Amino acid sequence: MSIKVAIPREMLEMIQESARRLHPRETILLLRGKAVKNVITISDVLIPPLATYGRRFSAFPAHMLPMDFSIVGAAHSHPSGNLRPSTEDQNHSIGRILLITGFPYEGEQNVAAYNRSGERLSLEVT
Ligand SMILES: [Zn+2]
């Protein structure tokens, strides 16, 4: 059974606002949420501790993360506009899902969700 991701519109807007502010660097944010059956619903967007924002890759020290099992994944931006995850993205992914927003970071057409294997998941903006 494949996973579906649901995100409230205001959470998506927070992620895309952060992406616009940091452009042409990448933003990175943690996603808090809960999984019910095969649907993961995002409930909160958090700034990770000690994040560094680069032009090619943004990261944070994973050992600084709180032991928080409500973290379902991370969101980051692609200033190139390409929505596909890079190899680094897959190697550094945390949680179950990876959300990517691409330039110009406007609405549903500039965002995609993936699982840890890089397979695209259906994403519903609620
Ligand atoms: Zn990436």
Side-chain angles (χ1 to χ4, degrees), residues 21-41:
R21 211 166 48 232
L22 280 158
H23 187 84
R25 293 179 298 157
E26 293 188 5
T27 188
I28 186 159
L29 294 159
L30 296 172
L31 302 172
R32 181 174 274 167
K34 65 177 180 191
V36 176
K37 293 185 181 166
N38 65 327
V39 180
I40 295 178
T41 302

Side-chain angles (χ1 to χ4, degrees), residues 3-7 12 15-16 29 31 42 73-78 81-86 89 96-103 105-116 118-125:
I3 300 170
K4 291 181 180 145
V5 180
I7 185 168
L12 176 61
I15 293 165
Q16 293 185 323
L29 294 159
L31 302 172
I42 310 296
H76 73 282
S77 59
H78 278 179
N82 186 343
L83 288 178
R84 293 183 50 203
S86 66
D89 290 343
R96 296 174 67 186
I97 60 165
L98 177 68
L99 208 73
I100 295 173
T101 183
F103 183 83
Y105 322 115
E106 298 285 353
E108 291 160 59
Q109 69 275 24
N110 296 139
V111 65
Y114 301 88
N115 63 17
R116 293 191 73 131
E119 291 155 355
R120 193 160 179 170
L121 304 175
S122 96
L123 177 68
E124 189 192 356
V125 181

Side-chain angles (χ1 to χ4, degrees), residues 1-95:
M1 189 159 54
S2 69
I3 300 170
K4 291 181 180 145
V5 180
I7 185 168
R9 187 166 297 279
E10 64 263 32
M11 300 290 156
L12 176 61
E13 185 48 43
M14 280 174 63
I15 293 165
Q16 293 185 323
E17 172 61 34
S18 172
R20 283 193 289 270
R21 211 166 48 232
L22 280 158
H23 187 84
R25 293 179 298 157
E26 293 188 5
T27 188
I28 186 159
L29 294 159
L30 296 172
L31 302 172
R32 181 174 274 167
K34 65 177 180 191
V36 176
K37 293 185 181 166
N38 65 327
V39 180
I40 295 178
T41 302
I42 310 296
S43 59
D44 222 344
V45 174
L46 309 171
I47 297 169
L50 302 180
T52 53
Y53 304 101
R55 279 174 182 261
R56 294 272 301 128
F57 192 67
S58 285
F60 56 88
H63 67 273
M64 295 295 294
L65 283 183
M67 284 298 277
D68 184 343
F69 296 105
S70 65
I71 301 292
V72 293
H76 73 282
S77 59
H78 278 179
S80 67
N82 186 343
L83 288 178
R84 293 183 50 203
S86 66
T87 314
E88 284 117 316
D89 290 343
Q90 285 179 53
N91 292 342
H92 291 85
S93 72
I94 64 151

